[in-house]
Amino acid sequence: MPTTHSLTESLFTADGVQALDRFLIEDQGVDGYELMQKAARAAFRQLLRHWPDAPSVLVFCGAGNNGGDGYLVALNALRQGLAVECIAVADPDKLSGDARRAWRDARNGGVPVRHWQALAVDDQVRLFSDSPVVVDAMLGTGVRGQPRAPFDSVIRQVNASHCPVLAVDVPSGLDASCGVAEGDAVRADMTVTFIGQKLGLLTGQGPHFAGKVVHDTLGAGQLCDTFPVAAVASLASWSLCQDWLPPLSRSAHKGSFGHVLVVAGDRGFGGAGLLAAEAAARSGAGLVSLATRPEHVAPALSRCPSLMVRGVVHGNELAPLLDKADVVVCGPGLGQSAWGQQMLQQVLESGKPRLLDADALNQLADRLPVHSDQQVITPHPGEAARLLSCSVRDIEADRIAAVRTLQQRFGGVALLKGAGTLVSGRDQLPVLIAGANPGMATGGMGDVLSGILGAFMVQAAKAQDMTFADGVILGACLHLAAADSASLSKGYRGLLPMDVIEALPGVLAAAEPRFGKTGDTPGEVSDD
């Protein structure tokens, strides 16, 4: 799969983006003020596109280049005939370089600039009275940590106003590198970000604060081909990687699509194994077996009779099932009792390619690290913290470092769940799955993901040009795409794992060439 990535698919830290800006200006001869003007025009275009009936625009400007972008957005709005209020949160007298030039051009162009701290409290509140579109151009990528006064109070008032908000490059208060807000941060409806994509907008708390992210390279794509600073991650989505789906052969049989064994479901958690097994079947696995507690056999067959369900009491009963499987998914609802420990031990000793999730990971946290190139682990931040003997806060403070460390410690492929899911394979740039769906924050969604990934691990094993990491990326993208599809009719509140499973075939059908490249029905004879 792709080993090089365009500027639109590359993700950078704040330091990387600042280095990219310097590279364009100092090495490529791009005029800095021209870039600032392009950024302002790009942001204003998105404002008009998404709020065409905006009664007015309220722009908050800081002290750096982000503030300079804001002054030029205000100038663009004024020239378009909109009512404009421009508020200097930082003293314009302290501006320098391109930002000072932007402030001067905006003021000379007729933009009324008022100082936030010179306004009475009632006047500050009145700024929001006619529901303007708020433009946040206060704190850019160079600012980290908790916002200081007066920015913190402005951010709180912006959030309390419930006005629509467009953030310029990054929402003020959000760390553009890691997606952490250590204090107050602007909750934007949209963020227009420039040149290099910022990792922090798309992972951790980033999706919550950034809203919809629109990326504009400002025409710098080809100029950045020789940029010496490496991206920290690449971007993947269903639309970008659905072409990775292996083509279906007209002579395919169930063995062509492999056999997934799901080992899951201790007492009280029978549904977890069933969700994983059914998801594997709906994602294209040719055969799916479920090894679970005996009392779960009948309900599982009633729900999905195409599964091969076996009740197991002792670990040694798994041996014949493991022999037949191409890939093993172990962990959903496994528990940490003696039964679950026996099951995991048998899976580990089998040497089969495996995906470990949920309680399998919780058990691993109490063992010496089990390293294998044939292994995929899929922890959420809490499980990742237990595996790495640190806190959840540590994991979320640097999700890229966390997923890399997980991969190095356990081998194979590591997937770190959460908004902006991250995937790390050996000797590969980590991949971020673009998107976040709040409806997925419910029990069982991870079990569905495990089943989907098991099915794609089998496909990767049988395809010559596909790695386990490719299969995990593709499966994670499908998981999110199916949830988004289900949300169109079900909404976010009350979305269930079964809704996502039911959406899988439709998403796959819309994406794949069903038979080679023709799309013809197999066996159909044409008279042409």
Side-chain angles (χ1 to χ4, degrees):
M1 300 305 143
T3 56
T4 59
H5 305 279
S6 68
L7 195 59
T8 58
E9 297 167 357
S10 300
L11 298 174
F12 298 90
T13 62
D15 289 342
V17 169
Q18 289 163 17
L20 184 55
D21 289 348
R22 289 194 299 272
F23 172 77
L24 289 172
I25 295 169
E26 297 171 7
D27 292 41
Q28 299 296 312
V30 177
D31 183 75
Y33 192 64
E34 182 181 338
L35 278 180
M36 187 174 285
Q37 290 175 310
K38 286 183 177 180
R41 287 195 294 268
F44 186 61
R45 277 197 304 271
Q46 293 300 327
L47 188 154
L48 289 179
R49 182 173 299 169
H50 291 272
W51 296 284
D53 300 320
S56 60
V57 177
L58 173 60
V59 186
F60 289 97
C61 297
N65 283 345
N66 194 247
D69 293 340
Y71 285 116
L72 294 180
V73 170
L75 181 58
N76 276 277
L78 187 70
R79 288 172 174 171
Q80 190 70 19
L82 297 180
V84 176
E85 281 274 13
C86 188
I87 306 300
V89 184
D91 187 352
D93 289 337
K94 296 181 180 179
L95 294 173
S96 61
D98 292 334
R100 183 170 183 81
R101 181 178 174 185
W103 164 72
R104 187 176 63 243
D105 286 354
R107 187 186 59 181
N108 293 341
V111 173
V113 179
R114 295 198 283 171
H115 292 222
W116 173 260
Q117 290 176 297
L119 296 174
V121 174
D122 287 347
D123 291 332
Q124 292 175 354
V125 173
R126 263 193 294 273
L127 291 171
F128 305 95
S129 60
D130 66 344
S131 300
V133 175
V134 174
V135 176
D136 164 28
M138 291 182 284
L139 302 174
T141 58
V143 180
R144 294 171 187 147
Q146 227 170 338
R148 300 177 181 177
F151 293 97
D152 54 351
S153 63
V154 178
I155 290 170
R156 287 193 293 270
Q157 290 214 37
V158 168
N159 290 339
S161 73
H162 302 296
C163 293
V165 178
L166 183 146
V168 176
D169 210 23
V170 61
S172 294
L174 180 71
D175 190 312
S177 295
C178 60
V180 171
E182 294 185 15
D184 297 302
V186 168
R187 292 195 300 272
D189 297 279
M190 170 182 290
T191 299
V192 184
T193 195
F194 313 118
I195 306 178
Q197 292 246 50
K198 288 80 180 167
L199 174 67
L201 297 177
L202 302 172
T203 195
Q205 296 172 280
H208 172 70
F209 288 104
K212 179 179 179 180
V213 176
V214 177
H215 176 225
D216 195 315
T217 66
L218 305 183
Q222 291 185 338
L223 293 175
C224 296
D225 287 346
T226 58
F227 178 54
V229 177
V232 294
S234 63
L235 196 61
S237 66
W238 183 242
S239 62
L240 289 173
C241 66
Q242 61 187 20
D243 289 343
W244 301 3
L245 285 169
L248 302 181
S249 169
R250 296 174 186 274
S251 57
H253 53 84
K254 59 189 176 185
S256 304
F257 304 115
H259 188 166
V260 176
L261 169 63
V262 177
V263 182
D266 199 355
R267 292 189 179 98
F269 300 99
L274 177 55
L275 289 170
E278 189 172 351
R282 288 291 189 182
S283 300
L287 294 165
V288 181
S289 295
L290 172 61
T292 187
R293 283 282 192 177
E295 53 264 44
H296 300 148
V297 172
L301 289 173
S302 176
R303 163 77 186 182
C304 190
S306 65
L307 300 177
M308 296 177 287
V309 189
R310 173 78 176 269
V312 291
V313 177
H314 302 291
N316 56 17
E317 297 174 54
L318 270 185
L321 302 177
L322 287 165
D323 288 342
K324 297 177 181 178
D326 295 307
V327 167
V328 183
V329 173
C330 181
L334 190 69
Q336 300 185 60
S337 68
W339 182 84
Q341 292 176 30
Q342 289 181 58
M343 298 301 126
L344 177 59
Q345 188 62 35
Q346 291 294 317
V347 170
L348 295 178
E349 291 178 358
S350 73
K352 292 280 185 173
R354 60 188 180 244
L355 180 144
L356 304 180
D357 184 36
D359 283 323
L361 299 177
N362 290 326
Q363 290 188 41
L364 277 191
D366 297 326
R367 298 169 175 243
L368 292 174
V370 179
H371 191 283
S372 171
D373 289 338
Q374 296 280 85
Q375 180 170 270
V376 174
I377 61 171
T378 59
H380 58 56
E383 293 160 346
R386 288 190 284 276
L387 289 170
L388 298 181
S389 301
C390 63
S391 68
V392 172
R393 183 182 178 87
D394 292 332
I395 297 293
E396 295 291 70
D398 195 340
R399 286 170 56 83
I400 283 284
V403 76
R404 281 177 166 159
T405 303
L406 286 164
Q407 191 284 322
Q408 292 164 2
R409 186 167 299 184
F410 293 93
V413 182
L415 178 149
L416 180 59
K417 294 173 182 172
T421 290
L422 292 165
V423 178
S424 181
R426 189 179 69 176
D427 301 327
Q428 284 184 297
L429 193 66
V431 173
L432 184 144
I433 311 302
N437 185 318
M440 299 174 79
T442 188
M445 288 293 181
D447 306 323
V448 173
L449 175 62
S450 293
I452 295 172
L453 298 186
F456 279 97
M457 287 174 67
V458 167
Q459 294 185 42
K462 291 184 174 292
Q464 294 182 348
D465 59 348
M466 195 175 185
T467 66
F468 276 161
D470 295 331
V472 170
I473 294 164
L474 187 57
C477 289
L478 173 61
H479 184 228
L480 178 58
D484 289 343
S485 177
S487 298
L488 293 175
S489 59
K490 305 285 187 180
Y492 295 124
R493 298 181 189 274
L495 189 70
L496 293 176
M498 294 83 78
D499 301 325
V500 176
I501 292 173
E502 290 169 5
L504 287 169
V507 175
L508 285 168
E512 64 189 5
R514 295 192 179 187
F515 301 95
K517 296 182 178 179
T518 66
D520 296 337
T521 302
E524 181 181 3
V525 178
S526 174
D527 291 330
D528 293 340

